[in-house]
């Protein structure tokens, strides 16, 4: 046996209250942004997840002093003495995260050179870094690829440029922002990602002294500045984690209040949740008054009883239905009456997790065709990227092996909804993006134990 196995005794509704902290997809990038400053930065409401530890380690290797602040979840990052790190030290982190590629611009600005190891992350498609490298070269970087990674230099400094993304990639947009803010001149980025986490990163950079304009039609303009300071920032809450718990409430016929969740960034998800038959209530924060403590707001999600209804969905870039929402929601859709359609248009290999759901009694068929309103970039490339879910299906326990972060939480939801005891292998991978998920499960009345 290994302590990376969780026994899940399913079949009982989840009830209770949990809290989400800062968004995983913002916090780690804001930590990288601290490298660009010449004074300390403070980041609040930071979740205790593996990705944060990876970035904290990488910052430490480059001379950034990272300490815990006075408040729970507060990080203080002092980049006063940024220094080079050895390839061997950095390589310790190779394969554990895709974040290192975003260190390129900040390190080139601070040191004039950077080394980036081979990249890891979840195996949901190749997510090539070609555009990252192409963009850095347009800024003036010289890239030398070696077997252990990439060595970058900027002998003539970095200069603003005009770029257009072939697809509004979040990672590529972050790369341009983190590089352009201190590049000499103006950078214009077209077809940029505009996810809430991207807007929040722009807020972080603006607090540091950056000049960034978000135009209509996915155009972002950055006027480079010679130096940046630190920031104090509380990130937006994690809308992926909030939606994951919402799907768990629906799949187990329970009720979960997610404190910290915000309506504005989840509107698309909330519409779908209601269309399926789920109910939710937005609970706004109440301001403390003399003698009365303040109460944090959030969103309460619940299954109202009766039958859930099938839906047809396509994932898309923001403001569309987020790709990271689809896996947890598909588990809930196995309990909906009729045929639901899920057309994945963001990652080409994100439906592999459905095989495990079928082994538990679900009826999910996957297709290479575009089962959506408009053809997508995967339609003629032989990728399995559409699914039809027939329901309702009675799920039963099984042995499950977690393949990636979001699929892992989906497997966990399925085990909670299924009758009997499932053994879920590789659960520590869930720690990459879900803080204290076992403690939260316990708070919701779930019966689990480490084996």
């Amino acid at each position: 046996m290994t302590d990376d196995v969780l026994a899940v005794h399913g079949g009982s509704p989840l009830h209770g209250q949990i809290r989400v902290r800062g968004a995983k997809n913002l916090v780690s990038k804001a930590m990288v942004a601290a490298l660009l400053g010449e004074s300390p930065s403070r980041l609040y409401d930071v979740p205790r997840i593996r990705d944060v530890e990876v970035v904290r380690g990488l910052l430490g290797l480059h001379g950034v002093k990272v300490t815990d602040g006075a408040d729970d979840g507060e990080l203080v990052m002092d980049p006063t003495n940024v220094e080079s790190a050895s390839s061997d030290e950095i390589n310790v982190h190779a394969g554990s995260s895709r974040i290192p590629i975003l260190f390129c611009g900040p390190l080139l600005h601070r040191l004039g050179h950077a080394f980036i190891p081979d990249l890891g992350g979840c195996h949901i498609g190749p997510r090539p870094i070609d555009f990252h490298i192409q963009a850095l070269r347009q800024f003036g970087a010289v890239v030398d690829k070696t077997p252990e990674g990439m060595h970058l230099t900027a002998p003539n400094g970095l200069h603003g440029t005009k770029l257009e993304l072939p697809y509004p990639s979040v990672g590529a947009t972050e790369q341009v922002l983190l590089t352009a803010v201190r590049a000499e001149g103006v950078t214009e980025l077209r077809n940029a990602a505009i996810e809430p986490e991207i807007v929040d990163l722009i807020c972080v950079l603006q607090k540091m002294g950056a000049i960034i304009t978000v135009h209509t039609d996915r155009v972002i303009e950055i006027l480079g500045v010679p130096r940046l300071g630190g920031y104090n920032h509380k990130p937006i809450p994690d809308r992926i984690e909030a939606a994951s718990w919402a799907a768990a409430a629906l799949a187990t016929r329970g009720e979960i209040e997610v404190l910290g969740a915000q309506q504005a960034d989840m509107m698309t998800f909330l519409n779908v949740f209601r269309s399926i038959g789920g109910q939710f209530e937005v609970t706004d924060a109440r301001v403390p008054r003399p003698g009365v403590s303040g109460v944090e707001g959030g969103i309460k999600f619940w299954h109202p009883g009766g039958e859930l209804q099938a839906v047809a969905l396509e994932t898309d870039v923001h403001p569309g239905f987020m790709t990271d929402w689809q896996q947890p929601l598909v588990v809930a859709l196995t309990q909906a009456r009729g045929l639901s359609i899920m057309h994945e248009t963001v990652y080409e290999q994100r439906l592999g997790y459905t095989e495990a759901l079928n082994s538990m009694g679900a009826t999910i068929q996957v297709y290479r065709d575009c089962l959506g309103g408009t053809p997508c970039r995967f339609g003629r490339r032989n990728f399995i990227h559409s699914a039809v879910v027939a329901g309702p299906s009675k799920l039963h326990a099984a042995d499950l092996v977690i393949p990636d972060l979001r699929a892992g939480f989906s497997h966990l939801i399925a085990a909670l909804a299924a009758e009997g005891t499932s053994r879920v292998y590789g659960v520590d991978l869930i720690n990459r993006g879900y803080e204290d998920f076992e403690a939260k499960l316990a708070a919701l009345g779930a019966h689990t134990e480490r084996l």
Side-chain angles (χ1 to χ4, degrees):
M1 292 291 186
T2 170
D3 61 4
D4 200 13
V5 182
L6 191 69
V8 179
H9 308 291
S12 300
L14 298 181
H15 287 276
Q17 186 183 78
I18 55 95
R19 182 179 184 273
V20 294
R21 295 214 214 201
K24 165 187 174 290
N25 288 349
L26 178 279
V27 166
S28 52
K29 321 305 168 55
M31 292 174 69
V32 176
L35 257 177
L36 289 160
E38 297 179 4
S39 54
S41 292
R42 289 180 181 270
L43 191 60
Y44 303 96
D45 219 18
V46 176
R48 292 183 294 272
I49 55 176
R50 174 60 182 159
D51 271 19
V52 167
E53 291 305 312
V54 168
V55 181
R56 185 171 183 162
L58 287 168
L59 288 173
L61 288 178
H62 288 94
V64 179
K65 184 179 180 182
V66 185
T67 56
D68 295 321
D71 297 331
D72 182 35
E74 178 185 347
L75 282 185
V76 182
M77 294 158 286
D78 186 350
T80 305
N81 299 308
V82 174
E83 60 188 20
S84 301
S86 74
S87 300
D88 288 341
E89 287 178 313
I90 298 174
N91 261 322
V92 171
H93 295 274
S96 60
S97 173
R98 298 182 63 84
I99 293 294
I101 188 68
L102 296 179
F103 275 70
C104 293
L107 287 176
L108 286 171
H109 285 303
R110 294 299 306 270
L111 298 174
H113 59 87
F115 169 74
I116 306 300
D118 288 336
L119 299 177
C122 292
H123 303 293
I124 53 178
R127 295 196 280 184
I129 61 168
D130 293 352
F131 185 83
H132 290 256
I133 303 307
Q134 176 189 340
L136 288 162
R137 284 177 169 147
Q138 280 191 238
F139 279 109
V142 176
V143 183
D144 180 23
K145 295 184 180 180
T146 65
E148 69 272 14
M150 292 176 293
H151 295 268
L152 297 92
T153 55
N156 299 312
L158 298 176
H159 301 270
T161 185
K162 289 189 175 183
L163 309 104
E164 182 166 0
L165 293 175
Y167 182 78
S169 159
V170 169
T173 300
E174 292 163 343
Q175 181 71 257
V176 172
L177 288 170
L178 291 166
T179 304
V181 285
R182 284 188 58 172
E184 183 180 344
V186 178
T187 296
E188 181 185 89
L189 176 62
R190 293 188 169 273
N191 202 27
I194 54 170
E195 270 68 7
E197 293 82 6
I198 291 287
V199 175
D200 209 29
L201 178 60
I202 291 173
C203 290
V204 168
L205 294 169
Q206 188 181 57
K207 287 179 177 180
M208 299 175 74
I211 302 173
I212 304 172
T213 304
V214 181
H215 296 290
T216 57
D217 300 325
R218 297 184 176 275
V219 177
I220 299 176
E221 183 179 272
I222 306 104
L223 174 60
V225 296
R227 62 185 56 85
L228 293 171
Y231 65 80
N232 293 331
H233 190 72
K234 181 179 179 180
I236 60 172
D238 198 309
R239 62 197 176 112
I240 304 173
E241 184 181 358
S244 298
W245 290 113
L250 206 54
T252 65
R253 303 181 71 87
E255 177 182 294
I256 300 175
E257 183 174 15
V258 184
L259 295 178
Q262 290 183 358
Q263 178 185 10
D265 296 335
M266 296 187 68
M267 283 187 171
T268 303
F269 177 85
L270 294 174
N271 287 336
V272 172
F273 191 83
R274 180 170 281 164
S275 297
I276 294 169
Q279 294 293 322
F280 66 87
E281 178 188 0
V282 179
T283 55
D284 293 325
R286 296 197 291 276
V287 179
R289 305 188 307 276
V292 180
S293 61
V295 178
E296 184 173 23
I299 305 176
K300 183 186 293 184
F301 301 92
W302 72 92
H303 190 303
E307 290 188 338
L308 301 179
Q309 303 302 313
V311 294
L313 284 174
E314 294 182 273
T315 65
D316 203 351
V317 295
H318 188 78
F321 191 87
M322 193 179 192
T323 179
D324 287 318
W325 289 336
Q326 67 97 339
Q327 290 157 299
L329 193 69
V330 163
V331 180
L333 290 176
T334 66
Q335 306 306 302
R337 180 162 299 281
L339 297 178
S340 292
I341 298 173
M342 182 64 74
H343 180 209
E344 171 61 53
T345 75
V346 179
Y347 291 130
E348 59 267 44
Q349 296 176 19
R350 202 153 207 181
L351 295 178
Y353 70 97
T354 58
E355 185 177 340
L357 299 183
N358 284 339
S359 74
M360 302 177 75
T363 303
I364 304 174
Q365 291 182 301
V366 293
Y367 299 90
R368 290 179 171 83
D369 304 297
C370 292
L371 300 183
T374 55
C376 74
R377 58 197 177 124
F378 307 139
R380 298 184 181 274
R381 295 174 58 197
N382 208 31
F383 291 114
I384 294 173
H385 69 294
S386 294
V388 176
V389 185
S393 299
K394 189 174 181 61
L395 301 182
H396 55 76
D399 287 352
L400 305 169
V401 179
I402 289 179
D404 64 72
L405 173 60
R406 305 303 172 189
F409 201 86
S410 301
H411 287 173
L412 190 60
I413 295 172
L416 291 162
E419 292 291 338
T421 299
S422 298
R423 287 182 295 184
V424 186
Y425 293 82
V427 290
D428 285 347
L429 186 57
I430 297 176
N431 289 317
R432 270 199 58 218
Y434 293 88
E435 180 188 42
D436 294 339
F437 75 93
E438 289 178 73
K440 291 177 182 177
L441 285 173
L444 296 173
H447 304 292
T448 67
E449 58 186 325
R450 286 277 181 159
L451 298 180

